Amino acid sequence: MKINIKGFVQGLGFRPFIVRLARQHRQKGWVANTGSGITIDIEGLSEHQQDFLDNLHNQLPPFAKIDSLSIATLPLAGFDDFQIKASKTDDKQSAFVLPDIAVCPDCVRDIFDPASRYYRYPFTSCCHCGPRYSLMTRQPYDRSRTGMAAFKSCPACFKDYQAIDNRRFHAQTIACPNCGPNLSLLDESRNLLAEKHDALREAIGQLQNGKIVAIKGIGGYQLLVDASNQQAVERLRLRKHRPQKPFALMVADLGTAQQLCKINALEQQTLSSAAAPIVLLNRWDTACGGDFSRPFALTSAVAPGSNLLGVMLPYSPLHHLLLSKDSAEQPLHVLVATSGNRHNEPICIDEQQALTRLAGIADYFLTHDRPILRPLDDSVVRLINGKITVLRRARGYAPLPIALKTAMPDTLALGGQLKNTVAISHENHIIVSQHLGDLDVEATQQQFQATLTDLQDFYQITPTRIMHDLHGGYASSRFAANLPQSTLPVQHHYAHALSCMAEHGLEPPVLGICWDGSGLGTDNTLWGGEFLIIHKQGFERYAHFAPFSLPGGHKAIQEPRRAALGLLYETFGTSVFERQDLPFSAQELNLLQSALSRELNCPRTTSAGRLFDAIASLLGLCHINGYEGQAAMALEQSAASTASELHYDFRIQAKTPIIVDWKITLEQLLEDMQHNPAELIAAKFHNTLAEIIQAIALMAGQKTIVLSGGCFQNACLTENAAKRLTHSGFKVYCHENIPPNDGGLALGQLYAAKYIG
């Protein structure tokens, strides 16, 4: 039999699994990696071959998944034994490339076992764990095609590599202190201070002394600092120009995480998963429980004013060693672990980048000589509506493919301006890149172009079409305009709806409820509170929020108080300037009144995201954003603290498209502010939005509904809306593996190629 397999069959010990299986069932022949998967040749008794095939399906290694399997019967070849052959390169590349896998428990035990030759070695791995996508130069997955190619295995490692009963049998990243990568510690002046274990010990000491240490991780550099040291965390904020946005935390173990946050079974499973993402968790309120006998104090500077903490567990041997109680007399329990980059720039992946871009931020650099081939930030997830929802998709998730029911021509999608990702179609799969960031700065634009080249080379595709956002001012759209291929623009919110459809394999007709900050509409205005009926020829704008002005344009995104003023002006006209509670100086109000009356730099928008900002400002929760989404997050946090089913009224204007008039909502909310706390008002506002969603859905008559756009990162909104819709008999789909924010646009743009152009 010749067996060809496609799926997740490389980089996880699949060939050793086949060798053991073949010997168990008395088969002779060979197994080899190919560009598109695995090929197996076996010969033996037919009844034994059937047992082989049964166990092939039933005893797969961890993370393995067979997508397709074909069998051909051939004449006997007279094989002498069963062996692993050299990989066979072909013209086809597999869509099934494993992401980086967190270090497995067995390897963790090795690094803390004094009898093991991997003792305290920070690059320990096996067939079941370690870097994959960040380390690969091309397919198929062999050591010679990874960043480990320069490291020749020592006799002991080669013995493990050849031992069939060893979990490192044919592990491509196998290495030990005698033959593998090693650590170096440098100071900010690039002086070499220590190497190998001495470098690790010295780095731990500097973290304990309150210093900022940049470490070279799996997918790039991280900036670490002791999370119990207020001055150290504040210094990191100052140097990184990040005054308020919460920092992510890396905790020593699950028990430490449980002392900090409320963690349910699904969140615990996600924290401990092979992807090992940052999980946004509700922190304990000291009044309602939690273990406060912990031997550490988390400084308030970590996540000021936030009831959520972004928590991850150690996912590499190096992280485990840094946080181990065996590494120091007074061990570190919790570290701030944030991306190793300058504000708005991509994560650094090599020593030269780190020493240059992180100069003035990091005090020390714990680096090593194993290359990182592509940058991969830590992924971020959150429990929303009972499902883990990916908010930033990178290490541990990229480049897992999205399956299509039918193959499509090679196509490239360039995503949007913010939270950019790009995507390619590869036969009947779509591969979405890792999170790249905002394309406002040149360094990220360069990484965007490098990733486009990398994806096309890695998967060996030559796109015939380019999909991009309708907004011609986006850096991604400007890039598309200079390409020789045919280009197709895709409306922003249509792409949002399609991204959720693609993730769940849905076909039209569908009602897409797409709420976000803004995206250019087909009428050249700023949309953002949209109800779109998706059909096979495109979409119809079925309903939207009533528009209002954003005084100052882009500045209104940074200052929720401006969105609030625009909302008030739309409702009350010039009389709003008689109010005494507006959070502006007299000079600012004069300028804003003039701008609004003359419609000067006051674009109109239907944005639900700006509605959230406006209400947050009116309630005094946030007038000026210290980071993106701060006002909306404060409003959600306020709403989540109160259980209420109350809501405000709203009007629906029966036009084409239907307009949701929020003016009566605003009037009732302002009246409520005289009598009720902000928490109740915030809850009633969220309930009102869910009522609006239900009302429009009932009018539209489409039984399948997708919720997409950045506003549906809000768990309170999403859960309220989904509950009402489900109760009314709708089938509701939310994002899970693809971000609801602009990180999902590239997927939606590619899916649009099926229906437009």
Side-chain angles (χ1 to χ4, degrees):
M1 285 183 178
K2 183 180 284 290
I3 305 167
N4 288 306
I5 301 176
K6 293 183 180 180
F8 291 109
V9 292
Q10 293 188 16
L12 40 71
F14 199 90
R15 289 175 298 172
F17 160 69
I18 294 297
V19 173
R20 287 189 284 268
L21 203 62
R23 293 181 180 178
Q24 177 186 344
H25 296 290
R26 288 177 277 180
Q27 299 298 303
K28 295 179 179 180
W30 54 267
V31 60
N33 278 338
T34 66
S36 54
I38 290 274
T39 295
I40 307 166
D41 241 359
I42 56 172
E43 63 180 27
L45 294 177
S46 58
E47 58 266 32
H48 294 161
Q49 288 180 337
Q50 188 56 54
D51 292 338
F52 174 93
L53 291 172
D54 289 343
N55 287 341
L56 172 62
H57 286 282
N58 299 330
Q59 298 178 9
L60 288 174
F63 315 117
K65 180 185 175 189
I66 295 175
D67 187 63
S68 67
L69 181 149
S70 64
I71 299 174
T73 303
L74 303 174
L76 288 172
F79 296 121
D80 294 326
D81 56 11
F82 195 93
Q83 55 186 243
I84 294 176
K85 277 192 175 183
S87 295
K88 298 175 177 293
T89 55
D90 51 35
D91 293 335
K92 291 188 176 182
Q93 301 297 298
S94 174
F96 300 94
V97 176
L98 277 178
D100 299 293
I101 304 171
V103 60
C104 70
D106 288 330
C107 283
V108 172
R109 280 190 285 273
D110 282 347
I111 65 174
F112 292 116
D113 178 6
S116 169
R117 62 192 188 81
Y118 301 100
Y119 180 55
R120 303 192 67 77
Y121 183 57
F123 305 97
T124 301
S125 67
C126 68
C127 283
H128 305 143
C129 68
R132 296 294 189 270
Y133 187 51
S134 65
L135 199 67
M136 291 176 66
T137 55
R138 60 192 186 278
Q139 301 185 65
Y141 177 70
D142 289 308
R143 191 183 186 96
S144 61
R145 298 178 180 89
T146 73
M148 290 295 295
F151 299 94
K152 184 179 179 180
S153 295
C154 65
C157 281
F158 190 64
K159 182 179 178 182
D160 283 355
Y161 182 84
Q162 291 187 306
I164 189 170
D165 294 324
N166 193 304
R167 74 176 193 280
R168 295 187 173 91
F169 180 46
H170 276 259
Q172 303 306 314
T173 53
I174 188 171
C176 75
N178 296 321
C179 63
N182 275 299
L183 295 174
S184 300
L185 184 70
L186 309 176
D187 65 17
E188 55 190 337
S189 300
R190 308 191 179 200
N191 297 312
L192 178 63
L193 303 179
E195 293 182 292
K196 299 186 178 181
H197 181 62
D198 290 339
L200 176 67
R201 186 177 61 246
E202 180 66 19
I204 292 171
Q206 295 302 340
L207 286 167
Q208 291 171 325
N209 291 335
K211 300 300 183 181
I212 300 167
V213 178
I215 73 158
K216 188 177 182 182
I218 298 295
Y221 278 78
Q222 294 170 307
L223 291 164
L224 304 185
V225 73
D226 182 359
S228 66
N229 188 321
Q230 177 87 2
Q231 289 183 331
V233 177
E234 287 178 346
R235 189 165 64 254
L236 178 59
R237 288 200 173 281
L238 184 66
R239 292 182 181 181
K240 212 181 176 197
H241 304 293
R242 185 169 167 167
Q244 294 175 293
K245 186 177 181 180
F247 281 129
L249 299 174
M250 181 172 283
V251 301
D253 49 36
L254 187 59
T256 304
Q258 290 169 329
Q259 292 177 39
L260 292 172
C261 300
K262 310 170 193 175
I263 306 175
N264 72 13
L266 188 53
E267 291 166 329
Q268 178 174 324
Q269 179 184 335
T270 306
L271 277 170
S272 305
S273 69
I278 297 168
V279 183
L280 299 183
L281 301 168
N282 288 299
R283 65 197 302 174
W284 284 110
D285 181 339
T286 53
C288 67
D291 180 3
F292 297 96
S293 61
R294 53 179 178 252
F296 59 90
L298 194 67
T299 172
S300 60
V302 164
S306 176
N307 66 346
L308 292 175
L309 289 178
V311 176
M312 60 182 151
L313 296 180
Y315 56 81
S316 75
L318 177 57
H319 291 131
H320 277 278
L321 290 166
L322 284 167
L323 285 160
S324 168
K325 62 180 182 296
D326 297 333
S327 297
E329 289 184 11
Q330 293 188 336
L332 298 157
H333 295 275
V334 186
L335 291 170
V336 165
T338 189
S339 299
N341 58 358
R342 283 184 187 161
H343 183 63
N344 284 341
E345 288 192 358
I347 190 171
C348 297
I349 63 170
D350 63 48
E351 188 175 306
Q352 188 57 43
Q353 282 182 350
L355 290 169
T356 302
R357 295 184 186 175
L358 302 182
I361 300 177
D363 299 309
Y364 296 92
F365 297 82
L366 184 61
T367 187
H368 58 76
D369 51 349
R370 185 176 70 191
I372 298 172
L373 275 300
R374 53 188 59 83
L376 289 154
D377 273 292
D378 293 315
S379 295
V380 180
V381 307
R382 184 184 184 187
L383 184 68
I384 300 177
N385 198 35
K387 302 282 182 67
I388 292 296
T389 303
V390 175
L391 304 182
R392 184 171 77 189
R393 188 174 182 271
R395 179 193 52 76
Y397 294 93
L400 296 174
I402 303 296
L404 297 171
K405 292 178 181 176
T406 57
M408 58 186 292
D410 289 354
T411 307
L412 176 66
L414 303 182
Q417 180 75 3
L418 305 178
K419 299 180 176 64
N420 180 268
T421 61
V422 297
I424 58 169
S425 60
H426 183 63
E427 297 179 341
N428 61 332
H429 290 91
I430 293 175
I431 294 100
V432 182
S433 78
Q434 69 274 26
H435 165 86
L436 300 176
D438 298 349
L439 300 183
D440 297 328
V441 297
E442 184 179 353
T444 312
Q445 292 173 20
Q446 291 172 352
Q447 186 58 57
F448 162 84
Q449 293 183 38
T451 303
L452 288 175
T453 300
D454 177 48
L455 276 178
Q456 293 172 76
D457 289 347
F458 192 82
Y459 291 97
Q460 291 293 289
I461 74 148
T462 304
T464 57
R465 289 184 296 179
I466 309 295
M467 316 299 289
H468 62 92
D469 195 272
L470 183 62
H471 197 307
Y474 286 178
S476 52
S477 299
R478 294 197 305 270
F479 183 81
N482 294 317
L483 295 175
Q485 298 98 324
S486 63
T487 62
L488 285 170
V490 183
Q491 198 280 322
H492 191 92
H493 301 93
Y494 178 44
H496 269 309
L498 289 175
S499 71
C500 192
M501 290 171 62
E503 179 180 348
H504 294 287
L506 303 177
E507 296 290 340
V510 167
L511 176 64
I513 300 173
C514 306
W515 290 5
D516 64 0
S518 70
L520 187 67
T522 54
D523 59 0
N524 209 37
T525 66
L526 297 178
W527 295 4
E530 310 306 311
F531 300 80
L532 308 178
I533 293 181
I534 314 298
H535 48 71
K536 289 189 176 180
Q537 291 74 42
F539 73 94
E540 169 197 346
R541 192 186 192 194
Y542 182 75
H544 61 80
F545 281 111
F548 62 99
S549 298
L550 293 177
H554 186 75
K555 207 164 186 181
I557 299 173
Q558 302 165 334
E559 300 182 15
R561 60 180 185 161
R562 290 174 179 262
L565 182 63
L567 213 62
L568 293 169
Y569 184 81
E570 194 72 27
T571 307
F572 303 110
T574 55
S575 65
V576 71
F577 291 98
E578 298 171 9
R579 295 177 66 108
Q580 300 301 307
D581 59 347
L582 298 177
F584 298 94
S585 68
Q587 183 181 11
E588 286 174 324
L589 285 175
N590 286 335
L591 291 171
L592 289 167
Q593 182 171 4
S594 174
L596 283 163
S597 62
R598 296 164 57 198
E599 299 181 0
L600 182 65
N601 193 23
C602 294
R604 307 278 288 167
T605 187
T606 61
S607 169
R610 299 290 82 81
L611 273 177
F612 274 97
D613 283 356
I615 302 305
S617 177
L618 290 172
L619 294 179
L621 300 174
C622 180
H623 295 310
I624 297 176
N625 279 328
Y627 54 91
E628 184 197 3
Q630 182 179 4
M633 290 168 65
L635 189 65
E636 179 194 358
Q637 180 172 313
S638 187
S641 67
T642 299
S644 174
E645 294 297 321
L646 298 173
H647 62 85
Y648 299 113
D649 295 327
F650 54 90
R651 294 193 180 99
I652 294 177
Q653 298 179 12
K655 298 183 177 182
T656 304
I658 291 166
I659 296 177
V660 180
D661 188 345
W662 41 259
K663 287 182 182 176
I664 190 172
T665 306
L666 179 63
E667 290 168 354
Q668 292 177 358
L669 185 148
L670 292 171
E671 175 63 25
D672 228 5
M673 286 172 59
Q674 310 302 316
H675 314 288
N676 287 309
E679 292 80 6
L680 177 60
I681 296 169
K684 289 173 69 174
F685 176 70
H686 278 75
N687 293 341
T688 304
L689 296 178
E691 290 284 330
I692 289 169
I693 286 174
Q694 183 183 33
I696 298 298
L698 289 167
M699 294 174 68
Q702 299 292 336
K703 285 301 180 183
T704 303
I705 295 177
V706 297
L707 304 179
S708 189
C711 290
F712 292 104
Q713 297 175 121
N714 180 323
C716 185
L717 171 67
T718 304
E719 290 162 7
N720 269 344
K723 180 177 71 174
R724 285 168 169 78
L725 290 169
T726 303
H727 183 74
S728 296
F730 295 100
K731 185 67 176 173
V732 184
Y733 293 89
C734 302
H735 286 272
E736 295 174 38
N737 298 313
I738 295 294
N741 56 49
D742 285 6
L745 285 177
L747 173 60
Q749 290 167 358
L750 268 186
Y751 211 56
K754 295 173 53 174
Y755 306 115
I756 64 174

